[in-house]
Amino acid sequence: MLQLTGVAASTAFVAGCGGDGGNGNGNGNGDGGGGVEIEPGTTIDFSGQTTHWEGLAPSAIEGEQNPALMLQEGEDYTIGWSEGDGANHNMEVRNADGEVIDDLTTGDPVSDPGEGQYIDFTASSDMATYNCQPHPQMEGEIQMGGGGGGGGGGGNETGNETGNETGNESS
């Protein structure tokens, strides 16, 4: 048997409690798994596999399947694919209703992307996913971030205020 006493017991309790609370409050704006933060001006490149988009670049998404992307609203990005499995693919950016936004598509699906099939766009809050039209399982989430620590700080303050108010009302 292992018995924790004094500082060790307090540290174990705080670490366990703090971890759960931190995850609950910290990920509120990031949705569940949280997206991979992508710097403005970045080209986001994928390999088209019939079962998923596989990240090629930037390095933060390399090897990831359908990674959630955290973009900064109002900033410019490029997204697309430069290699694939020989099946027909295309890249589309869609809203929450599954509709292509502002013709943000590489066009008709093709089996060979050539030098690459890319879309230049400015990130906006109506963007929900990037998709391959003929393969619905090739879909990744697009999230909007606050752009730096300031946005995160504001979210945490709101979360703490709400948590404290809710806690006081329930008690």
Side-chain angles (χ1 to χ4, degrees):
M1 285 191 339
L2 176 65
Q3 183 176 5
L4 299 175
T5 60
V7 173
S10 298
T11 302
F13 176 75
V14 170
C17 185
D20 290 342
N23 288 339
N25 290 334
N27 287 337
N29 291 337
D31 292 343
V36 177
E37 290 187 35
I38 307 295
E39 292 295 319
T42 298
T43 295
I44 306 161
D45 190 24
F46 291 98
S47 173
Q49 304 299 310
T50 303
T51 56
H52 62 275
W53 288 113
E54 184 168 324
L56 296 175
S59 61
I61 66 165
E62 187 175 350
E64 296 294 321
Q65 295 183 5
N66 298 331
L69 306 175
M70 178 73 72
L71 308 179
Q72 293 181 26
E73 189 166 6
E75 297 292 341
D76 294 331
Y77 298 87
T78 300
I79 191 170
W81 63 293
S82 62
E83 62 183 59
D85 57 5
N88 287 339
H89 302 295
N90 72 339
M91 177 70 73
E92 300 178 342
V93 177
R94 300 181 185 174
N95 63 21
D97 295 326
E99 300 166 342
V100 175
I101 300 171
D102 298 329
D103 294 322
L104 293 178
T105 177
T106 56
D108 292 331
V110 296
S111 61
D112 181 1
E115 295 295 313
Q117 299 275 309
Y118 294 100
I119 306 165
D120 295 319
F121 67 96
T122 301
S124 66
S125 60
D126 57 342
M127 296 177 173
T129 61
Y130 59 92
N131 304 71
C132 174
Q133 184 267 322
H135 303 112
Q137 66 276 20
M138 294 176 69
E139 176 178 291
E141 185 179 359
I142 296 176
Q143 305 168 358
M144 291 300 133
N156 288 339
E157 290 171 22
T158 303
N160 289 340
E161 289 175 22
T162 303
N164 290 339
E165 291 171 9
T166 302
N168 289 339
E169 291 172 23
S170 315
S171 297

